[in-house]
Amino acid sequence: GSFKPRVDIIEDSGKIYVYAELAGVKKIDVKVTTNEENLLIIKGQKRIVMDVESKDNDAYIRRERTFGDFSRSFMLPENIREDSISAKFENGILEIELEKVEPEDKKEYKVEIK
């Protein structure tokens, strides 16, 4: 199977918070970006960790943990201030904080009818 981190997204009047559960993932294996299409992208890799020295004849009796590359993306609203996005990684939780700005007032344009 592939690893797909679980995510919670919370919004208050001034910010949006994204919490991604990344137990077993190292901070250096995680990348957070945004793009021109207003997507927040969380990418990374959960590596296989062997607790004992592997031997040629070792075989798993049971394997429930998932590993591998992962990517999650979320559409951001237009009113996010991209230069203020911050992230921290602690105890297997990636927390991303996105500051909202007041949306610009829609200007009214008169369209000439011909």
Side-chain angles (χ1 to χ4, degrees), residues 25-41:
V25 178
K26 294 181 181 180
K27 180 176 149 180
I28 61 170
D29 292 329
V30 178
K31 182 179 178 183
V32 177
T33 59
T34 60
N35 66 19
E36 2 5 275
E37 287 132 16
N38 269 6
L39 284 177
L40 173 71
I41 303 162

Side-chain angles (χ1 to χ4, degrees), residues 41-60:
I41 303 162
I42 303 169
K43 286 185 178 183
Q45 182 179 36
K46 184 174 182 183
R47 300 176 190 274
I48 294 176
V49 178
M50 297 298 289
D51 295 331
V52 293
E53 202 172 302
S54 180
K55 298 179 181 162
D56 290 339
N57 60 351
D58 286 349
Y60 281 94

Side-chain angles (χ1 to χ4, degrees), residues 8-9 11 19 26 40 53 59 67 76 88 95-96 105:
D8 293 333
I9 301 174
E11 179 178 19
Y19 298 94
K26 294 181 181 180
L40 173 71
E53 202 172 302
F67 302 94
L76 295 174
K88 69 179 180 179
E95 178 183 339
I96 304 168
D105 290 334

Side-chain angles (χ1 to χ4, degrees), residues 60-74:
Y60 281 94
I61 294 172
R62 184 177 195 90
R63 186 174 183 179
E64 294 182 353
R65 297 182 298 161
T66 55
F67 302 94
D69 295 333
F70 63 87
S71 180
R72 298 289 312 264
S73 58
F74 305 93

